[in-house]
Amino acid sequence: MLKDLTVEGFIQELASDSAAPGGGSAACLAGALGAGLGAMVSRLTIGKKGYEALEPFFKEKIVELDELHKELTDLIDKDANAFNGVMAAFKLPKNTDEEKAARSAKIQEEYKVAALVPMTTVRACKKVLDILLEIGTKGNKNALSDVAVGALNALTGLKGAALNVEINLPSIKDEAFKSEMTRELAEIMSNLDYKISNLVIEIRDLF
């Protein structure tokens, strides 16, 4: 399992001549790092003087971020395996019309899977970003830079995963599916750079 490797081991896998893990798995990791940093800031805020009224809020965020951290970590391996189905489908027999039809249908089915896995990463990273935007500058003032770093990581994860969705769409013939994926990506990405840039600026202004 890729998620069980050491940091050095995972980077070595990325640097190898194997097609997977690749950018998709790296995007999952970036999102998980964002969730982890958000959870860390939340834990560093609970129990600290001056933040007592915010403890229920941060306890809730810890639960949410820990769940997202686990989901995104699990997606590292799911993403690495997502394209295996496409490659296997291309190897199916095509000697008869029936086999050709079945092969074509299976290829289309697997291309959708290959798009849906990174879309799951996009959605999870968006949830992380929404929480970090909620946290904003509310947390422990000594850890505010970690909120910014977490948001930048999660944004990178989201954008990277979005690219992996988009690269599979041209191979999919289902126009309704492609249209829905494109619409959802556009909705998720709307104003996101602006919001994260503002968060980073707001945090930096407090240094």
Side-chain angles (χ1 to χ4, degrees), residues 148 199-207:
L199 173 63
V200 173
I201 292 169
E202 186 179 359
I203 288 171
R204 289 181 69 183
D205 285 346
L206 295 174
F207 289 176

Side-chain angles (χ1 to χ4, degrees), residues 11-54:
I11 294 172
Q12 286 179 357
E13 286 292 326
L14 282 178
S16 74
D17 60 1
S18 173
S25 292
C28 298
L29 177 58
L33 290 172
L37 283 167
M40 181 195 78
V41 172
S42 299
R43 288 186 168 94
L44 288 174
T45 303
I46 291 173
K48 298 297 189 294
K49 186 177 180 180
Y51 299 96
E52 293 86 354
L54 289 168

Side-chain angles (χ1 to χ4, degrees), residues 2-187:
L2 293 169
K3 68 176 184 177
D4 295 327
L5 294 175
T6 63
V7 172
E8 179 61 27
F10 183 74
I11 294 172
Q12 286 179 357
E13 286 292 326
L14 282 178
S16 74
D17 60 1
S18 173
S25 292
C28 298
L29 177 58
L33 290 172
L37 283 167
M40 181 195 78
V41 172
S42 299
R43 288 186 168 94
L44 288 174
T45 303
I46 291 173
K48 298 297 189 294
K49 186 177 180 180
Y51 299 96
E52 293 86 354
L54 289 168
E55 285 203 10
F57 169 82
F58 279 106
K59 286 179 179 177
E60 179 183 313
K61 298 310 156 191
I62 287 171
V63 173
E64 294 172 359
L65 288 164
D66 282 349
E67 289 176 353
L68 287 163
H69 152 236
K70 183 180 185 306
E71 179 183 359
L72 284 159
T73 303
D74 289 341
L75 279 164
I76 291 173
D77 284 284
K78 290 179 181 177
D79 189 277
N81 295 322
F83 205 71
N84 289 345
V86 175
M87 292 187 291
F90 271 105
K91 294 177 182 177
L92 290 173
K94 49 180 178 178
N95 300 312
T96 67
D97 288 342
E98 289 78 9
E99 286 179 346
K100 289 177 182 177
R103 176 178 176 273
S104 179
K106 186 63 175 174
I107 289 171
Q108 286 299 303
E109 177 186 331
E110 294 299 336
Y111 265 122
K112 285 184 178 181
V113 172
L116 285 168
V117 171
M119 181 60 89
T120 303
T121 303
V122 168
R123 292 164 181 157
C125 286
K126 178 59 164 57
K127 290 177 183 176
V128 173
L129 287 168
D130 286 343
I131 294 170
L132 292 175
L133 287 166
E134 277 189 80
I135 289 174
T137 58
K138 296 184 181 74
N140 189 322
K141 65 179 182 179
N142 296 314
L144 289 183
S145 62
D146 297 300
V147 176
V149 174
L152 292 171
N153 269 276
L155 182 61
T156 296
L158 189 154
K159 288 186 172 183
L163 286 172
N164 275 12
V165 175
E166 292 168 339
I167 199 171
N168 285 294
L169 293 183
S171 299
I172 297 172
K173 297 178 181 179
D174 185 337
E175 294 299 329
F177 178 90
K178 291 164 66 173
S179 178
E180 176 57 26
M181 290 293 102
T182 301
R183 183 205 61 76
E184 184 177 355
L185 283 176
E187 182 179 320

